[in-house]
Amino acid sequence: MNKYLKYINLFYYILPVGIFILILIFTDTKTSTDTQRFIQWANEMKINPLSALSYLFQERGIDGVMFYFSVLYFKISLILNNNFNYFFILLNSICFIFIIHLIKKLSFKIKYYYLIPVFISINYDYIIWTNYLLTDFFFSFLCLIFILNLSLNNLKYINILLILLLVFTRPPGIVSVLIYLQYISFIKVLDNTTSLKKNFFYLVIIYFVITILISFSLFYNIFPEIFYDTFQYHRSYYFEGVIINDRPHTYVEVPKNIFDIIKIIFLRFISFFIFYDELFSIKHNILNFLVFIPLYLLSLFTIFKFNLYEIDQKKIIITMILTIISFCFFHSILLIDYDWRYRVPCLIPISILAAMAFEKLNFLKQNSINQEG
């Protein structure tokens, strides 16, 4: 048995790290317009937090301030100047290794925890971001620390610290506040199926009301002045019928009423989970079919068999569900990016739910055998 565990531990690290290294070897580092913006900000910004935050606010208002740790990440990378690309990838590599190590902390709660690194390593839509000169991978690393602390330890002061880190790394960091508030309301009723269903029902109602209010604000152009520029930026996408940014084949007609705005939000919510696109290569689409269909089916199995799990496992499941739904809703309101990179923080939670399914599949199979015997 010890020998068996030794091989599992070896396989646990070698496979994901091996795939990670192959990605680095066979693909070139990639950039985006955000990369150039962050490089400019990092060069002009001072390390002093107050000066840096003031500079970022002048550059881009409130959401500029919320990029502070992302820009700091770039500033650390730029220390080596000519070797900026390599140092940045080194930081991403460190994040990836820590992600694999952090997932191992679930070994006491999830029997088949060692499948999680396999799922994320063969998921092209996740692993490819390790080679991008962007902070999405760093952000997903912080998200994982937050949701693991929430579901395993729920240390109040650590949660607050992590929320602050997330909020000031990227604007979607505000989602961590939503996750935390929802988690508090659900954690108290995990053993009560009726109360749990009621909470989910209330949550759906709240999301629906928020959708209506935001749709009203968008259509009639009503929003607080402090968020005016950011609001107008996202509002312009609605009035172009944008579902997935820069993919015109997904666009719908320009909204003529509030219901058309609601329709766009709903279509974005569905599109957040889509893994196929006509502009993807054939290989990309095939690989995504092979990876995402099992992941989604296994995750749904875990959710539908929720009552079969122990209380500590239920905490993990609820945290993962709330994380996925919250990020999905947030980006449905704002924007879903061209390459679905805003989905990256959700790919590990989906993989965790999928891995948890195997324990109950095995349990149900064993019960079936016993009954036949």
Side-chain angles (χ1 to χ4, degrees):
M1 185 65 181
N2 289 334
K3 185 179 179 181
Y4 173 71
L5 289 173
K6 180 182 176 182
Y7 283 123
I8 286 180
N9 286 327
L10 194 63
F11 172 79
Y12 180 84
Y13 285 103
I14 286 179
L15 179 67
V17 173
I19 293 174
F20 177 84
I21 291 170
L22 289 174
I23 291 288
L24 295 184
I25 293 172
F26 292 105
T27 62
D28 296 325
T29 53
K30 297 177 177 64
T31 63
S32 76
T33 52
D34 284 347
T35 306
Q36 301 309 316
R37 184 187 299 117
F38 285 147
I39 289 173
Q40 179 191 339
W41 289 356
N43 281 321
E44 295 176 358
M45 185 186 81
K46 295 179 180 178
I47 290 287
N48 181 292
L50 292 178
S51 298
L53 292 172
S54 176
Y55 166 78
L56 291 171
F57 182 79
Q58 290 173 3
E59 284 294 316
R60 198 167 166 175
I62 294 294
D63 60 336
V65 172
M66 296 172 79
F67 280 115
Y68 172 67
F69 286 111
S70 281
V71 181
L72 187 62
Y73 196 76
F74 270 84
K75 197 163 188 72
I76 293 169
S77 303
L78 287 167
I79 290 172
L80 295 186
N81 294 323
N82 294 334
N83 295 317
F84 158 70
N85 289 10
Y86 299 109
F87 191 51
F88 197 97
I89 295 302
L90 175 63
L91 290 178
N92 279 358
S93 303
I94 292 169
C95 286
F96 182 75
I97 292 168
F98 270 105
I99 284 171
I100 301 302
H101 184 68
L102 284 169
I103 290 171
K104 201 173 182 183
K105 292 187 177 294
L106 293 168
S107 60
F108 296 102
K109 311 294 181 185
I110 302 174
K111 185 176 181 180
Y112 298 99
Y113 73 93
Y114 49 83
L115 292 176
I116 302 168
V118 177
F119 290 150
I120 64 173
S121 300
I122 63 174
N123 192 331
Y124 180 82
D125 283 13
Y126 178 81
I127 199 71
I128 194 63
W129 295 105
T130 59
N131 213 12
Y132 266 79
L133 304 182
L134 290 167
T135 54
D136 295 82
F137 205 74
F138 173 60
F139 182 71
S140 73
F141 166 62
L142 293 178
C143 286
L144 178 64
I145 298 175
F146 171 68
I147 60 178
L148 287 184
N149 179 69
L150 197 61
S151 57
L152 297 179
N153 306 312
N154 197 18
L155 301 174
K156 182 179 178 181
Y157 296 109
I158 298 296
N159 282 331
I160 294 171
L161 175 63
L162 289 169
I163 286 171
L164 288 172
L165 276 170
L166 285 162
V167 168
F168 289 101
T169 297
R170 293 184 66 84
I174 198 71
V175 173
S176 61
V177 179
L178 303 178
I179 295 168
Y180 184 66
L181 293 175
Q182 291 170 103
Y183 180 81
I184 291 172
S185 68
F186 277 91
I187 196 66
K188 299 173 183 176
V189 296
L190 285 181
D191 273 341
N192 189 322
T193 305
T194 303
S195 297
L196 197 62
K197 288 179 179 178
K198 282 182 180 179
N199 276 20
F200 267 112
F201 176 75
Y202 295 147
L203 185 62
V204 171
I205 296 297
I206 290 169
Y207 277 141
F208 184 67
V209 170
I210 292 172
T211 300
I212 293 173
L213 292 174
I214 288 175
S215 298
F216 181 87
S217 297
L218 285 164
F219 191 77
Y220 291 104
N221 201 15
I222 303 168
F223 225 72
E225 188 175 343
I226 191 170
F227 299 115
Y228 186 78
D229 290 340
T230 300
F231 173 70
Q232 291 302 324
Y233 171 78
H234 290 289
R235 184 175 184 267
S236 66
Y237 284 103
Y238 278 93
F239 284 89
E240 293 174 12
V242 176
I243 303 299
I244 307 296
N245 189 30
D246 283 339
R247 293 189 184 270
H249 56 282
T250 67
Y251 294 8
V252 295
E253 293 181 1
V254 174
K256 297 175 181 177
N257 51 54
I258 294 175
F259 296 106
D260 288 340
I261 299 285
I262 294 172
K263 176 185 173 182
I264 289 174
I265 294 172
F266 176 75
L267 289 174
R268 287 180 179 179
F269 192 93
I270 300 299
S271 298
F272 186 84
F273 296 98
I274 287 176
F275 49 82
Y276 169 88
D277 189 79
E278 64 183 50
L279 298 182
F280 286 168
S281 68
I282 294 174
K283 289 179 181 179
H284 189 174
N285 277 323
I286 292 173
L287 183 59
N288 274 4
F289 265 102
L290 293 174
V291 171
F292 276 97
I293 289 179
L295 281 180
Y296 286 162
L297 290 177
L298 288 167
S299 297
L300 288 172
F301 179 87
T302 298
I303 294 168
F304 287 130
K305 298 297 179 182
F306 179 82
N307 288 329
L308 295 179
Y309 291 90
E310 296 175 3
I311 189 70
D312 287 340
Q313 293 176 313
K314 287 180 177 180
K315 289 180 183 178
I316 296 171
I317 294 169
I318 287 294
T319 307
M320 301 308 131
I321 293 172
L322 294 176
T323 299
I324 295 163
I325 292 174
S326 299
F327 272 106
C328 180
F329 183 71
F330 180 82
H331 289 297
S332 299
I333 298 295
L334 297 185
L335 186 66
I336 298 177
D337 202 26
Y338 171 80
D339 38 24
W340 279 268
R341 68 185 173 107
Y342 299 154
R343 183 172 60 188
V344 172
C346 297
L347 295 180
I348 294 180
I350 291 170
S351 299
I352 289 172
L353 290 175
M356 294 183 76
F358 283 93
E359 182 177 340
K360 295 310 168 190
L361 281 169
N362 191 42
F363 171 77
L364 293 173
K365 180 182 177 182
Q366 199 63 44
N367 271 2
S368 178
I369 292 171
N370 291 338
Q371 287 175 2
E372 287 176 5

